Amino acid sequence: MKIIVYGAHDDEIPYMTQWQATTGHTLEIHQELLDDTTIDWAAGFDGINVLQTTPYSQTMFAKMAALGIRFLTIRNVGTDNIDLAAAQAHGIRIANVPAYSPNAIAEFAVTATLHLLRRLGEVEAKLAASDYQAATAFLGRELAQQTVGVVGAGRIGRAAIKLFHGFGAKVLAYDPHPVQDDSLACEYVELDELFAQADVIDLHIPGIAANDHIIGAAELAKMKPNALLINTARGNLIDTQALLHALEHQQLGGAGIDTYERESANLLTLKETGRFEDPTWDRLRAMPNVVLTPHIAYLTETAVQNMVEFSLNYLIEFLTVGATETEVHPR
Ligand code: NAD
Ligand code: COI
């Protein structure tokens, strides 16, 4: 089969090359994203494989259908940036990789939590100013003494619950559709109770429209003033202006943000200008009680190898037997 790959990251390319050599299929690898203009490159290919968080447009799906290409697999989990109904209307079938390594993201959420609990950003800021005395004055908190509230007990949320429990924390969870899992050591509570009780609030829910700004000023006001908010899920879940206000007015203890609200726009600006043109990002970056990372919670060897190999295998299943178990359907 001939497959065109878009959005290839440097660290994915060796796994792509290896998959090609092992399977005998042909890959044409592009680092550019899939959009209305780059879709034309797919003429003559059997299927498309992509990694991106920017939207897939209606026009792109129409052009894809006109090229006679029906199957697209994405190398990531989140499908929030895809208009699945538009894809379906054009006869395009899509599969994601729902579990390339839930632990990768869950471990990152724990990493951000520990960093904030031990106040390492504040320590580093003092060391950067050569104030060694002040750097020794930040009393930390121990994870084992904290109550962690996990919002969204799906694959990643459940991995996070296990890790936090392993550290000795009391774990609360909220999910309107909890999966039966007797090995999970957590107590399911209503969201308001989770906000009121948790010292750490850890989000693992999809960035679909229904979850847009699920954390705004009203929700932040329900949290403890020293609570930590961790978001490795999607940027649109948090009203960033409300978060900034809460942090600047000591209404929140700190935040770990791997998925930033205007991430896509920012990344596009970065490509064009070589820098993030976003004062809100700069203000968050300057706060020692904020861990801000550029959407890297997934970025481990295991996850990258799996996202490449699984998504290409799903595409081959689509192309050879007409189905794959990870096909996604309109919400
Ligand atoms: P999943 O589908 O297995 O689980 C999501 C869970 O969230 C489901 O159980 C669902 O019932 C629940 N949910 C949905 N809306 C909710 C709400 N409003 N309140 C409480 N629970 C709600 O998904 P997953 O594999 O756990 O992934 C979660 C998200 O993590 C993905 O959608 C993606 O956006 C994000 N993600 C981020 C990275 C990263 O590198 N930062 C990597 C992979 C995935
Ligand atoms: C996902 O898999 O959904 C992610 O968020 C990671 C990715 C976009 C690299």
Side-chain angles (χ1 to χ4, degrees):
M1 295 288 176
K2 273 184 69 187
I3 294 165
I4 183 163
V5 174
Y6 291 91
H9 295 193
D10 289 341
D11 49 38
E12 295 181 295
I13 293 174
Y15 296 116
M16 290 171 178
T17 311
Q18 197 183 344
W19 181 89
Q20 186 171 226
T22 312
T23 63
H25 296 295
T26 303
L27 297 180
E28 184 173 292
I29 302 170
H30 296 272
Q31 300 211 301
E32 291 82 354
L33 302 180
L34 176 60
D35 62 25
D36 297 2
T37 56
T38 60
I39 180 63
D40 295 336
W41 305 345
F45 285 87
D46 298 304
I48 301 182
N49 180 261
V50 189
L51 175 60
Q52 65 190 41
T53 54
T54 48
Y56 297 72
S57 74
Q58 284 251 23
T59 316
M60 193 286 295
F61 286 128
K63 286 187 172 183
M64 188 174 160
L67 291 173
I69 303 173
R70 294 185 52 225
F71 299 112
L72 184 155
T73 59
I74 61 168
R75 302 194 291 285
N76 51 314
V77 176
T79 57
D80 50 281
N81 55 329
I82 308 178
D83 183 343
L84 294 171
Q88 191 178 60
H90 290 287
I92 307 297
R93 293 172 63 192
I94 300 176
N96 70 342
V97 185
Y100 48 72
S101 179
N103 237 47
I105 300 95
E107 283 185 12
F108 197 88
V110 174
T111 302
T113 301
L114 289 169
H115 178 104
L116 292 165
L117 285 174
R118 298 307 293 266
R119 305 179 63 180
L120 292 182
E122 291 159 272
V123 173
E124 280 163 9
K126 293 298 177 195
L127 285 177
S130 297
D131 191 343
Y132 296 95
Q133 194 58 37
T136 64
F138 295 104
L139 212 52
R141 288 184 273 169
E142 294 178 29
L143 186 44
Q145 314 304 323
Q146 310 304 307
T147 297
V148 178
V150 173
V151 182
R155 295 175 188 86
I156 299 171
R158 292 199 301 280
I161 289 168
K162 288 176 184 163
L163 293 175
F164 281 121
H165 176 71
F167 274 90
K170 174 180 174 183
V171 187
L172 306 177
Y174 170 73
D175 193 314
H177 307 289
V179 170
Q180 179 65 37
D181 180 350
D182 295 337
S183 72
L184 267 195
C186 70
E187 180 191 345
Y188 281 96
V189 295
E190 288 305 317
L191 195 53
D192 277 357
E193 191 182 340
L194 184 150
F195 289 152
Q197 286 195 28
D199 303 298
V200 179
I201 292 137
D202 180 29
L203 306 180
H204 294 294
I205 60 179
I208 53 174
N211 287 336
D212 207 27
H213 284 192
I214 195 165
I215 306 291
E219 291 71 29
L220 289 162
K222 292 174 187 168
M223 297 175 192
K224 293 182 180 178
N226 65 346
L228 305 176
L229 178 61
I230 310 294
N231 184 13
T232 58
R234 280 294 179 267
N236 68 317
L237 301 178
I238 299 179
D239 177 342
T240 310
Q241 291 305 325
L243 172 68
L244 199 56
H245 184 275
L247 288 165
E248 285 177 343
H249 293 82
Q250 289 73 48
Q251 291 158 1
L252 194 70
I257 305 294
D258 182 56
T259 42
Y260 175 67
E261 188 170 10
R262 285 187 295 278
E263 170 185 278
S264 291
N266 263 313
L267 287 177
L268 295 176
T269 314
L270 176 68
K271 210 171 164 188
E272 286 156 18
T273 66
R275 65 177 301 262
F276 287 113
E277 300 283 355
D278 190 331
T280 306
W281 171 275
D282 293 342
R283 276 162 76 187
L284 285 170
R285 275 276 291 141
M287 300 180 107
N289 56 340
V290 173
V291 187
L292 199 56
T293 48
H295 204 145
I296 53 162
Y298 76 101
L299 196 55
T300 67
E301 293 168 356
T302 305
V304 173
Q305 179 167 7
N306 289 346
M307 65 208 287
V308 167
E309 293 179 359
F310 293 1
S311 66
L312 289 169
N313 290 341
Y314 299 149
L315 188 53
I316 296 301
E317 280 175 15
F318 256 154
L319 290 165
T320 53
V321 296
T324 185
E325 61 176 338
T326 70
E327 181 167 1
V328 289
H329 301 281
R331 291 174 274 274

